[in-house]
Amino acid sequence: MTEIRLTNTATRRKDPLEPLVVEGKPSMYVCGPTVYDRAHIGNARPVIVFDVLFRLLRHVYGAENVTYVRNVTDVDDKINARATESGRTIREITDETAAWYLEDMAAVGALEPTAMPRATEWIAQMVAMIEGLIASGHAYEAEGHVLFRVRSYDDYGKLSGRSVDDMIAGARVEVAPYKEDPMDFVLWKPSTDDLPGWESPWGRGRPGWHIECSAMAQGLLGESFDIHGGGNDLIFPHHENEIAQSKCSGHAFARIWLHNEMLQVEGKKMSKSLGNFFTVRDLLDQGIPGEVIRFVFLSTHYRKPMDWTEKKRVEATNRLAAWFRKTDGVEPAKVVPTSVVTALADDLNTHLAMVEMNSFSAPYLKAAMQLLGFPEAEDVDWFRALEPEFVSTATGEGPHADLLVPLLRRWQALREARDFAAADALKAQLEGAGLKLSAKDGEASAEILPEFDAGRLEGVE
C-alpha cells in the first residue's frame, strides 16, 4: 500500500499516516465555514487542498473506509451582527449561506465530506465537555461565562511554538475583568433575549468558537483520529485551544495537524480596502470555470503562499483547455500513473503531480485528472471555443515567444539551407519538449501541447 507522508505542524516534520482508530480506515477533521456570507477565494484554498487529500485517501484506502468531517459554524457573533443588519432571522441567513458555500465549493470540484455537522446541533455535547473541564479544574465560571484555564495545561503553545507569556504580548486575546488570566479563553458566554441561546448550568448562553470543533470532532471521530486540518491562520488561537480543551477532557485528539498557507492577490494581501477582495462566486460569475480556479490553486504546493494573478488564470485556462482537448472522448486508464500517486503521497505535492501529467498519454492523463478532481472533457464545453496555443515566426508572438521564436527561425533556416539532418535533429528536440512543429510559406509555427516543458529546451540552439 502507498505510504502517505504529511508535514505535521505538531512535530515539524513529515510523518507517515498510520490510521489510528481502525486499521486501514483513516479519519480527518477540517475546520469549515462560519456561514454568514459568500466564501472568498482564500476560503476555497483549504477546501481544495483537503479535497485532494480526501480523494487520495479514498484512492489508497478505498472510498468506503475514509471518514472526512468538516463542520459548519452556525452560531457566531458575525452571524448575529448580519441578522441585526438585515432584519432576517439567523436560521434564514445560515441556511442560505451554507447552501451557497456547498454550491460554490462544488463548482471548484470539491466532494462533499462524509459528515458536515452544524454547531447548533451539538450544544448538548459542548455543555457536557465544559462541565467535565470545570469538574477537573481546567475551567471556571465567572459572571455567567465559563473560561478555560490556559495555565492548567502545561503543553499550551506547543503547536504554535510559543510560550504562554510570549503570547500575551500583542496576542489576539479579549481582556475582561472576570478572567483569572488574560490568556484564558471563553468556553461559554451569556446570551441576551435577542441572541441565540441555550439553557445550561451557567444560565442561558451560547458556546465559544473553540469548544464547537472539539465536541464535534470527538463525537464523530472518537477519542483520537488521524488528521486535523485548516489554514495556518487557525494554528493560534483556534487549534491551540482545541488541543488544550480536548486533551484536558481526556481525549488524545488528532495526531497529524495539517495547515495550508494563505492566499494573496497579485502579490498583495487580499483586502476590501485594496479593492482586491473577491469571492468564489465573483469569479464564477465572471465566466471563470471552477476547474480553472482549482487548477490555479493546485499549481502551488499547499505549504507555500499562493498568489492569484491574472497571468496564472490565463495560463491555467490554456493548459487545462489543452488537457481537455487531448482527453476528449478518450477512455481513462484503469490505473493512475504511479508518479502522480507518489507525488501526492509525498505531502500532497500537487505541483509535481501536475508537471508529471504533462507528459502522459491521453488515457493516463485523464485518469490522473480524475484523481485530482478535474471534470471529464465530455462534461464541459468552454474549452471547445478556445483555439490551441501557437507561437509563430510570422508574428514573432505567442506563449514563450522569447524562447521559442528564435528556435523556430533556426529550424526554418536549416530547412531552407537544405541541412535536413540538422533540421530534423532540432525538430526532435523541440517536439520532445512538448511542441508540434509545422512550416508553411516560409514561416514556422509550433502548437504548444499540454506536455510542454520549457526546461527541456535549456541549452538548445
Side-chain angles (χ1 to χ4, degrees), residues 164-244:
V164 175
D165 291 331
D166 288 340
M167 291 179 187
I168 292 177
R172 292 177 293 169
V173 295
E174 179 188 2
V175 177
Y178 48 79
K179 286 188 176 184
E180 293 179 356
D181 187 289
M183 287 300 295
D184 293 349
F185 59 87
V186 172
L187 300 173
W188 189 264
K189 53 189 171 183
S191 290
T192 56
D193 291 342
D194 60 327
L195 293 175
W198 291 263
E199 293 303 322
S200 78
W202 321 286
R204 184 177 181 275
R206 60 195 191 279
W209 175 33
H210 313 299
I211 197 70
E212 298 175 13
C213 287
S214 287
M216 289 184 280
Q218 189 274 329
L220 290 168
L221 298 177
E223 298 298 314
S224 61
F225 55 97
D226 299 304
I227 302 165
H228 195 312
N232 67 0
D233 58 324
L234 298 181
I235 295 175
F236 179 82
H238 186 49
H239 289 166
E240 198 77 74
N241 292 351
E242 276 190 71
I243 291 172

Coordinates of all heavy atoms in Angstrom, one line a residue, residues 164-244:
V164 N 3.2 30.7 26.8 CA 2.0 31.5 27.2 C 2.4 32.9 27.4 O 1.8 33.9 27.0 CB 1.4 30.9 28.4 CG1 0.2 31.8 28.9 CG2 0.9 29.5 28.2
D165 N 3.6 33.2 28.1 CA 4.0 34.5 28.3 C 4.3 35.3 27.1 O 4.0 36.5 26.9 CB 5.2 34.5 29.3 CG 4.9 34.1 30.7 OD1 3.7 34.3 31.1 OD2 5.7 33.5 31.3
D166 N 4.9 34.6 26.1 CA 5.2 35.2 24.8 C 3.9 35.6 24.1 O 3.8 36.6 23.4 CB 6.0 34.3 23.9 CG 7.4 34.2 24.4 OD1 7.9 35.0 25.2 OD2 8.1 33.2 24.0
M167 N 2.9 34.8 24.3 CA 1.6 35.0 23.5 C 0.9 36.2 24.1 O 0.2 36.9 23.3 CB 0.7 33.8 23.7 CG 1.2 32.6 22.9 SD 0.0 31.2 23.2 CE 0.9 29.9 22.4
I168 N 1.0 36.5 25.4 CA 0.2 37.6 26.0 C 0.5 38.9 25.3 O -0.4 39.7 25.1 CB 0.5 37.7 27.5 CG1 -0.1 36.4 28.2 CG2 -0.1 38.9 28.1 CD1 0.2 36.3 29.6
A169 N 1.8 39.2 25.0 CA 2.2 40.5 24.4 C 1.7 40.5 23.0 O 2.1 39.8 22.1 CB 3.7 40.6 24.5
G170 N 0.7 41.4 22.7 CA 0.2 41.6 21.4 C -0.7 40.5 20.9 O -1.0 40.4 19.7
A171 N -1.1 39.6 21.8 CA -1.9 38.5 21.3 C -3.3 38.9 21.1 O -3.8 39.9 21.6 CB -1.8 37.3 22.4
R172 N -4.0 38.1 20.3 CA -5.4 38.3 20.0 C -6.3 37.7 21.1 O -6.9 36.7 21.0 CB -5.8 37.7 18.7 CG -5.2 38.4 17.5 CD -5.6 37.7 16.2 NE -5.0 36.4 16.1 CZ -5.4 35.5 15.2 NH1 -6.3 35.8 14.3 NH2 -4.8 34.3 15.2
V173 N -6.2 38.4 22.3 CA -7.0 37.9 23.4 C -7.9 39.0 23.9 O -7.6 40.2 23.8 CB -6.1 37.4 24.6 CG1 -5.2 36.3 24.1 CG2 -5.2 38.6 25.0
E174 N -9.0 38.6 24.4 CA -10.0 39.5 25.0 C -9.7 39.8 26.4 O -9.6 38.9 27.2 CB -11.4 38.9 24.8 CG -12.5 39.8 25.4 CD -13.8 39.1 25.5 OE1 -13.9 38.0 25.1 OE2 -14.8 39.8 25.9
V175 N -9.4 41.1 26.7 CA -9.2 41.5 28.1 C -10.5 41.7 28.8 O -11.4 42.4 28.3 CB -8.3 42.7 28.2 CG1 -8.1 43.2 29.6 CG2 -7.0 42.5 27.5
A176 N -10.7 41.0 29.9 CA -12.0 41.1 30.6 C -11.7 41.0 32.1 O -10.9 40.2 32.5 CB -13.0 40.0 30.2
P177 N -12.4 41.8 33.0 CA -12.2 41.8 34.4 C -12.4 40.4 35.1 O -11.9 40.1 36.1 CB -13.1 42.9 34.9 CG -14.1 43.0 33.9 CD -13.5 42.7 32.6
Y178 N -13.3 39.6 34.5 CA -13.7 38.3 35.1 C -12.7 37.2 34.8 O -12.8 36.1 35.3 CB -15.1 37.9 34.7 CG -15.3 37.9 33.2 CD1 -14.9 37.0 32.3 CD2 -16.1 39.0 32.6 CE1 -15.1 37.0 31.0 CE2 -16.3 39.1 31.3 CZ -15.8 38.1 30.4 OH -16.1 38.1 29.1
K179 N -11.7 37.5 34.0 CA -10.7 36.5 33.7 C -9.6 36.4 34.8 O -9.1 37.4 35.3 CB -9.9 36.8 32.4 CG -10.8 36.6 31.1 CD -9.9 36.7 29.9 CE -10.6 36.4 28.6 NZ -9.7 36.5 27.4
E180 N -9.2 35.1 35.1 CA -8.1 34.9 36.1 C -6.8 35.3 35.4 O -5.9 35.7 36.1 CB -8.1 33.5 36.5 CG -9.3 33.1 37.4 CD -9.2 31.6 37.8 OE1 -8.3 30.9 37.3 OE2 -10.1 31.2 38.6
D181 N -6.7 35.1 34.1 CA -5.5 35.3 33.4 C -5.9 35.8 32.0 O -6.9 35.4 31.4 CB -4.8 33.9 33.2 CG -3.4 34.1 32.6 OD1 -3.3 34.4 31.4 OD2 -2.4 33.9 33.3
P182 N -5.1 36.8 31.4 CA -5.5 37.3 30.1 C -5.6 36.3 29.0 O -6.4 36.5 28.1 CB -4.4 38.3 29.8 CG -3.8 38.6 31.1 CD -3.9 37.4 32.0
M183 N -4.9 35.2 29.1 CA -4.9 34.2 28.1 C -6.1 33.2 28.2 O -6.4 32.4 27.2 CB -3.6 33.4 28.1 CG -2.4 34.1 27.6 SD -2.6 34.6 25.8 CE -2.7 33.1 25.0
D184 N -6.8 33.2 29.3 CA -7.9 32.3 29.4 C -9.0 32.6 28.3 O -9.2 33.8 28.0 CB -8.6 32.4 30.8 CG -7.6 31.9 31.9 OD1 -6.6 31.3 31.6 OD2 -7.9 32.2 33.1
F185 N -9.5 31.6 27.7 CA -10.5 31.8 26.6 C -11.9 31.2 27.0 O -12.0 30.4 27.8 CB -9.9 31.2 25.3 CG -9.7 29.7 25.4 CD1 -10.7 28.8 25.1 CD2 -8.4 29.2 25.7 CE1 -10.5 27.4 25.1 CE2 -8.2 27.8 25.7 CZ -9.2 26.9 25.4
V186 N -12.8 31.8 26.3 CA -14.3 31.5 26.6 C -14.7 30.2 26.0 O -14.5 29.8 24.9 CB -15.1 32.6 26.0 CG1 -16.6 32.3 26.1 CG2 -14.9 34.0 26.6
L187 N -15.3 29.4 26.9 CA -16.0 28.2 26.5 C -17.5 28.4 26.4 O -18.2 27.7 25.6 CB -15.7 27.1 27.6 CG -14.3 26.7 27.8 CD1 -14.2 25.7 29.0 CD2 -13.7 26.1 26.6
W188 N -18.0 29.3 27.2 CA -19.5 29.6 27.2 C -19.7 31.0 27.6 O -18.9 31.5 28.4 CB -20.2 28.7 28.2 CG -21.7 28.7 28.2 CD1 -22.5 29.5 29.0 CD2 -22.5 28.0 27.3 NE1 -23.8 29.2 28.6 CE2 -23.9 28.3 27.6 CE3 -22.3 27.0 26.3 CZ2 -25.0 27.8 26.9 CZ3 -23.4 26.5 25.6 CH2 -24.7 26.8 26.0
K189 N -20.6 31.7 27.0 CA -20.9 33.1 27.3 C -22.4 33.3 27.4 O -23.2 32.6 26.7 CB -20.2 34.0 26.3 CG -20.5 33.7 24.9 CD -19.6 34.6 24.0 CE -19.7 34.2 22.5 NZ -18.8 35.0 21.7
P190 N -22.9 34.3 28.2 CA -24.3 34.5 28.3 C -24.9 35.1 27.0 O -24.2 35.8 26.3 CB -24.4 35.5 29.5 CG -23.0 36.2 29.5 CD -22.0 35.2 29.0
S191 N -26.2 34.9 26.8 CA -26.9 35.4 25.7 C -28.1 36.3 26.2 O -28.8 35.9 27.1 CB -27.5 34.3 24.8 OG -26.5 33.7 24.1
T192 N -28.2 37.4 25.6 CA -29.4 38.3 25.9 C -30.6 37.7 25.1 O -30.4 36.8 24.3 CB -29.2 39.7 25.4 OG1 -28.8 39.7 24.0 CG2 -28.0 40.4 26.3
D193 N -31.8 38.2 25.4 CA -33.0 37.6 24.8 C -33.0 37.7 23.3 O -33.7 36.9 22.6 CB -34.2 38.3 25.4 CG -34.5 38.0 26.9 OD1 -33.9 37.0 27.4 OD2 -35.2 38.7 27.6
D194 N -32.3 38.7 22.8 CA -32.4 38.9 21.3 C -31.3 38.1 20.6 O -31.2 38.1 19.3 CB -32.2 40.4 21.0 CG -30.9 40.9 21.5 OD1 -30.4 40.5 22.5 OD2 -30.3 41.8 20.8
L195 N -30.5 37.3 21.3 CA -29.5 36.5 20.7 C -29.7 35.0 20.8 O -30.5 34.6 21.8 CB -28.1 36.8 21.4 CG -27.6 38.2 21.1 CD1 -26.3 38.4 21.9 CD2 -27.3 38.4 19.6
P196 N -29.2 34.2 20.0 CA -29.3 32.7 20.1 C -28.8 32.3 21.5 O -27.8 32.8 22.0 CB -28.5 32.1 19.0 CG -28.3 33.2 18.0 CD -28.3 34.5 18.8
G197 N -29.5 31.4 22.1 CA -29.1 30.9 23.4 C -29.7 29.5 23.8 O -30.8 29.2 23.3
W198 N -29.0 28.8 24.7 CA -29.5 27.5 25.1 C -29.3 27.5 26.6 O -28.4 28.1 27.2 CB -28.6 26.4 24.5 CG -28.9 26.3 23.0 CD1 -29.7 25.4 22.4 CD2 -28.2 27.0 22.0 NE1 -29.6 25.5 21.0 CE2 -28.7 26.5 20.8 CE3 -27.3 28.1 22.0 CZ2 -28.3 27.0 19.5 CZ3 -26.9 28.6 20.7 CH2 -27.4 28.1 19.5
E199 N -30.2 26.8 27.3 CA -30.1 26.6 28.7 C -28.9 25.8 29.1 O -28.6 24.8 28.4 CB -31.4 26.0 29.3 CG -32.6 26.9 29.2 CD -32.4 28.3 29.8 OE1 -31.8 28.4 30.9 OE2 -32.9 29.3 29.2
S200 N -28.3 26.2 30.2 CA -27.1 25.5 30.6 C -27.0 25.6 32.2 O -27.7 26.4 32.8 CB -25.8 26.1 30.0 OG -25.4 27.3 30.6
P201 N -26.1 24.9 32.8 CA -25.9 25.1 34.3 C -25.4 26.5 34.6 O -25.5 26.8 35.8 CB -24.8 24.0 34.6 CG -24.9 23.0 33.5 CD -25.3 23.8 32.3
W202 N -25.0 27.3 33.6 CA -24.5 28.6 33.9 C -25.4 29.7 33.4 O -25.0 30.8 33.3 CB -23.1 28.7 33.3 CG -22.3 27.5 33.4 CD1 -21.8 27.0 34.6 CD2 -22.1 26.5 32.4 NE1 -21.2 25.8 34.4 CE2 -21.4 25.4 33.0 CE3 -22.5 26.3 31.1 CZ2 -21.1 24.2 32.3 CZ3 -22.1 25.2 30.4 CH2 -21.5 24.1 31.0
G203 N -26.7 29.3 33.1 CA -27.6 30.2 32.6 C -27.8 30.1 31.1 O -27.1 29.4 30.4
R204 N -28.7 30.9 30.6 CA -28.9 30.9 29.1 C -27.7 31.5 28.4 O -27.3 32.6 28.8 CB -30.2 31.6 28.8 CG -30.6 31.6 27.3 CD -31.9 32.3 27.0 NE -32.3 32.2 25.6 CZ -31.8 33.1 24.7 NH1 -31.0 34.1 25.0 NH2 -32.2 33.0 23.4
G205 N -27.2 30.8 27.4 CA -26.0 31.3 26.7 C -25.7 30.5 25.5 O -26.5 29.8 25.0
R206 N -24.5 30.7 25.0 CA -24.1 30.1 23.7 C -22.6 29.7 23.9 O -21.9 30.3 24.7 CB -24.3 31.0 22.5 CG -23.6 32.3 22.6 CD -24.2 33.3 21.6 NE -23.4 34.5 21.4 CZ -23.5 35.5 22.2 NH1 -24.3 35.5 23.3 NH2 -22.7 36.6 21.9
P207 N -22.1 28.8 23.0 CA -20.7 28.3 23.2 C -19.7 29.3 22.6 O -20.1 30.1 21.7 CB -20.8 27.0 22.4 CG -21.8 27.2 21.4 CD -22.9 28.0 22.0
G208 N -18.5 29.2 23.1 CA -17.4 29.9 22.4 C -17.0 29.1 21.1 O -17.4 27.9 21.0
W209 N -16.3 29.7 20.3 CA -16.0 29.1 19.0 C -15.1 27.8 19.1 O -15.4 26.8 18.5 CB -15.2 30.1 18.1 CG -14.7 29.6 16.8 CD1 -15.2 28.7 16.0 CD2 -13.4 30.1 16.2 NE1 -14.4 28.6 14.9 CE2 -13.4 29.4 15.0 CE3 -12.5 31.0 16.5 CZ2 -12.3 29.6 14.1 CZ3 -11.4 31.2 15.6 CH2 -11.3 30.5 14.4
H210 N -14.2 27.8 20.0 CA -13.2 26.7 20.0 C -13.8 25.4 20.5 O -13.5 24.3 20.0 CB -12.0 27.1 21.0 CG -11.5 28.4 20.7 ND1 -10.9 28.8 19.5 CD2 -11.4 29.5 21.5 CE1 -10.6 30.1 19.5 NE2 -10.8 30.5 20.7
I211 N -14.7 25.5 21.5 CA -15.3 24.2 22.0 C -16.2 23.5 21.0 O -16.3 22.3 21.1 CB -16.2 24.6 23.3 CG1 -16.5 23.3 24.1 CG2 -17.5 25.3 22.9 CD1 -15.2 22.7 24.8
E212 N -16.7 24.2 20.0 CA -17.5 23.6 19.0 C -16.8 22.5 18.3 O -17.3 21.3 18.2 CB -18.0 24.6 17.9 CG -18.8 25.8 18.5 CD -19.1 26.8 17.5 OE1 -18.9 26.5 16.3 OE2 -19.6 27.9 17.8
C213 N -15.6 22.8 17.8 CA -14.8 21.8 17.0 C -14.4 20.6 17.9 O -14.4 19.4 17.4 CB -13.6 22.4 16.3 SG -14.1 23.5 14.9
S214 N -14.0 20.9 19.1 CA -13.6 19.8 20.0 C -14.8 18.8 20.2 O -14.6 17.6 20.1 CB -13.1 20.3 21.3 OG -11.9 20.9 21.2
A215 N -15.9 19.3 20.4 CA -17.1 18.4 20.7 C -17.5 17.7 19.5 O -17.8 16.5 19.6 CB -18.3 19.3 21.2
M216 N -17.5 18.3 18.3 CA -18.0 17.6 17.1 C -16.9 16.6 16.6 O -17.3 15.5 16.2 CB -18.3 18.7 16.0 CG -19.5 19.5 16.3 SD -20.0 20.6 15.0 CE -18.9 22.0 15.3
A217 N -15.6 17.0 16.7 CA -14.6 16.0 16.3 C -14.6 14.8 17.2 O -14.6 13.6 16.7 CB -13.2 16.7 16.3
Q218 N -14.7 15.0 18.5 CA -14.7 13.8 19.4 C -16.0 13.0 19.2 O -15.9 11.8 19.2 CB -14.6 14.3 20.8 CG -14.4 13.2 21.9 CD -15.7 12.6 22.4 OE1 -16.7 13.3 22.4 NE2 -15.7 11.4 22.7
G219 N -17.1 13.7 19.0 CA -18.4 12.9 18.9 C -18.4 12.1 17.6 O -19.0 11.0 17.6
L220 N -17.8 12.6 16.5 CA -18.0 11.9 15.2 C -16.8 11.0 14.9 O -16.9 10.1 14.1 CB -18.2 12.9 14.1 CG -19.5 13.6 14.1 CD1 -19.5 14.8 13.2 CD2 -20.6 12.7 13.7
L221 N -15.6 11.3 15.5 CA -14.4 10.6 15.1 C -13.8 9.8 16.3 O -12.9 9.0 16.1 CB -13.3 11.5 14.5 CG -13.7 12.2 13.2 CD1 -12.6 13.2 12.8 CD2 -14.0 11.2 12.1
G222 N -14.3 10.0 17.5 CA -13.8 9.3 18.6 C -12.7 10.0 19.4 O -12.4 11.2 19.2
E223 N -12.2 9.3 20.4 CA -11.2 9.8 21.3 C -9.9 10.3 20.6 O -9.3 11.2 21.0 CB -10.8 8.8 22.4 CG -12.0 8.3 23.2 CD -12.5 9.5 24.0 OE1 -11.8 10.3 24.6 OE2 -13.8 9.7 24.0
S224 N -9.6 9.7 19.5 CA -8.4 10.1 18.7 C -8.7 9.9 17.2 O -9.5 9.0 16.9 CB -7.2 9.3 19.1 OG -7.3 7.9 18.9
F225 N -8.1 10.7 16.4 CA -8.3 10.5 15.0 C -7.0 10.9 14.3 O -6.0 11.4 14.9 CB -9.5 11.3 14.5 CG -9.5 12.7 14.8 CD1 -9.1 13.7 13.9 CD2 -10.0 13.2 16.0 CE1 -9.1 15.0 14.2 CE2 -10.1 14.5 16.4 CZ -9.6 15.4 15.4
D226 N -6.9 10.8 12.9 CA -5.7 10.9 12.2 C -5.2 12.3 11.9 O -4.1 12.6 12.1 CB -5.7 10.0 11.0 CG -6.0 8.5 11.3 OD1 -5.2 8.0 12.1 OD2 -7.0 8.0 10.8
I227 N -6.1 13.0 11.2 CA -5.7 14.3 10.6 C -6.6 15.4 11.1 O -7.9 15.2 11.0 CB -5.7 14.2 9.1 CG1 -4.7 13.1 8.6 CG2 -5.3 15.6 8.5 CD1 -4.9 12.7 7.2
H228 N -6.1 16.5 11.5 CA -6.9 17.7 11.7 C -6.3 18.8 10.8 O -5.1 19.1 10.8 CB -6.8 18.2 13.2 CG -7.9 19.2 13.5 ND1 -8.1 20.3 12.8 CD2 -8.7 19.2 14.6 CE1 -9.1 21.0 13.4 NE2 -9.5 20.3 14.5
G229 N -7.2 19.5 10.0 CA -6.6 20.4 9.0 C -7.3 21.8 9.1 O -8.4 22.0 9.7
G230 N -6.7 22.7 8.4 CA -7.2 24.1 8.3 C -6.1 25.0 7.8 O -5.0 24.6 7.5
G231 N -6.5 26.3 7.6 CA -5.5 27.3 7.2 C -4.6 27.6 8.3 O -4.9 27.4 9.5
N232 N -3.3 28.1 8.0 CA -2.4 28.3 9.1 C -2.8 29.5 10.0 O -2.2 29.7 11.0 CB -1.0 28.4 8.5 CG -0.7 29.7 7.7 OD1 -1.7 30.5 7.5 ND2 0.5 29.8 7.2
D233 N -3.8 30.3 9.6 CA -4.3 31.3 10.4 C -5.0 30.8 11.6 O -5.3 31.5 12.6 CB -5.2 32.3 9.6 CG -6.3 31.6 9.0 OD1 -6.2 30.4 8.5 OD2 -7.4 32.2 8.9
L234 N -5.3 29.5 11.6 CA -6.1 28.9 12.7 C -5.2 28.2 13.7 O -5.6 27.8 14.8 CB -7.0 27.8 12.1 CG -8.1 28.3 11.2 CD1 -9.0 27.1 10.8 CD2 -9.0 29.4 11.8
I235 N -3.9 28.2 13.5 CA -3.0 27.5 14.4 C -3.1 28.1 15.8 O -3.2 27.4 16.8 CB -1.5 27.6 13.9 CG1 -1.3 26.8 12.6 CG2 -0.5 27.0 15.0 CD1 0.1 26.9 12.0
F236 N -3.1 29.4 15.8 CA -3.3 30.1 17.1 C -4.3 31.2 16.8 O -4.2 32.0 15.8 CB -2.0 30.8 17.7 CG -2.3 31.5 18.9 CD1 -2.4 30.8 20.2 CD2 -2.5 32.9 18.9 CE1 -2.7 31.5 21.3 CE2 -2.8 33.6 20.1 CZ -2.9 32.9 21.3
P237 N -5.4 31.3 17.6 CA -5.6 30.6 18.8 C -6.5 29.3 18.7 O -6.5 28.5 19.6 CB -6.3 31.6 19.7 CG -7.2 32.4 18.8 CD -6.3 32.5 17.5
H238 N -7.1 29.2 17.5 CA -8.2 28.2 17.4 C -7.7 26.7 17.7 O -8.2 26.0 18.6 CB -8.9 28.2 16.1 CG -10.1 27.4 16.0 ND1 -11.1 27.3 16.9 CD2 -10.5 26.5 15.0 CE1 -12.0 26.4 16.6 NE2 -11.6 25.9 15.4
H239 N -6.7 26.3 16.9 CA -6.2 24.9 17.1 C -5.5 24.7 18.4 O -5.6 23.6 19.0 CB -5.4 24.5 15.9 CG -6.2 24.4 14.6 ND1 -5.7 24.3 13.4 CD2 -7.6 24.3 14.4 CE1 -6.7 24.2 12.5 NE2 -7.8 24.2 13.1
E240 N -4.8 25.7 18.8 CA -4.1 25.6 20.1 C -5.1 25.4 21.2 O -4.9 24.6 22.1 CB -3.3 26.9 20.4 CG -2.2 26.8 21.4 CD -1.0 26.1 20.9 OE1 -0.2 26.7 20.2 OE2 -0.8 24.9 21.4
N241 N -6.2 26.1 21.1 CA -7.3 26.0 22.2 C -8.0 24.7 22.1 O -8.4 24.1 23.1 CB -8.2 27.2 22.1 CG -7.6 28.5 22.4 OD1 -6.5 28.5 23.0 ND2 -8.3 29.6 22.2
E242 N -8.2 24.2 20.8 CA -8.9 22.9 20.6 C -8.1 21.8 21.3 O -8.6 20.9 22.0 CB -9.0 22.6 19.1 CG -10.2 23.2 18.4 CD -10.3 22.5 17.0 OE1 -10.6 21.3 17.0 OE2 -10.0 23.2 16.1
I243 N -6.8 21.8 21.1 CA -5.9 20.8 21.7 C -6.0 20.9 23.2 O -6.2 19.8 23.9 CB -4.4 21.0 21.2 CG1 -4.3 20.7 19.7 CG2 -3.5 20.1 22.1 CD1 -3.0 21.0 19.2
A244 N -5.9 22.1 23.8 CA -5.9 22.2 25.2 C -7.2 21.7 25.9 O -7.1 20.8 26.8 CB -5.7 23.7 25.6

